[in-house]
Amino acid sequence: MPEMTFRVRWPDGNETDCYSPSLVIRDHFTPGQDYPVREFLEKANTALTQASERVRARYGFPCSRALGQLHVIQQSSAPFLNRPDAQVRVLSFRY
């Protein structure tokens, strides 16, 4: 199963590499695109849950690393949720 990482820049300028066990991330994000924090969080939830389910379909168990990444994204998003102008930029994909 092809893995990928996607690099994001948070509203405070910090950059993070995020893991996905599947290329499904490409269906939800575009490199160079800014997303309001809530939208980014919703898309990440959908994409990483789908990625984990793809692992389940193939190997019989969900991907704990994808679900762990989702938890990290949720925690990282929390400080910005009440800032309507806050944006997360998807910087790049790496395969």
Side-chain angles (χ1 to χ4, degrees):
M1 183 162 270
E3 302 177 312
M4 69 176 296
T5 58
F6 56 107
R7 188 162 187 84
V8 301
R9 181 180 303 129
W10 296 99
D12 62 3
N14 287 322
E15 294 183 7
T16 306
D17 285 328
C18 301
Y19 170 81
S20 173
S22 165
L23 302 180
V24 72
I25 296 299
R26 298 181 306 183
D27 297 339
H28 298 275
F29 295 114
T30 302
Q33 180 73 40
D34 291 327
Y35 299 89
V37 173
R38 288 187 187 278
E39 180 182 350
F40 175 79
L41 188 54
E42 290 170 13
K43 286 178 170 286
N45 182 44
T46 299
L48 289 169
T49 299
Q50 286 177 356
S52 180
E53 288 304 311
R54 287 183 179 190
V55 170
R56 181 194 307 271
R58 184 160 187 185
Y59 299 106
F61 52 86
C63 180
S64 60
R65 190 168 171 200
L67 299 175
Q69 181 64 70
L70 178 56
H71 180 72
V72 169
I73 287 172
Q74 290 167 336
Q75 287 182 319
S76 297
S77 297
F80 309 110
L81 288 174
N82 291 324
R83 288 181 38 198
D85 61 328
Q87 304 272 317
V88 178
R89 174 168 285 216
V90 176
L91 297 170
S92 62
F93 295 155
R94 282 196 319 259
Y95 306 96

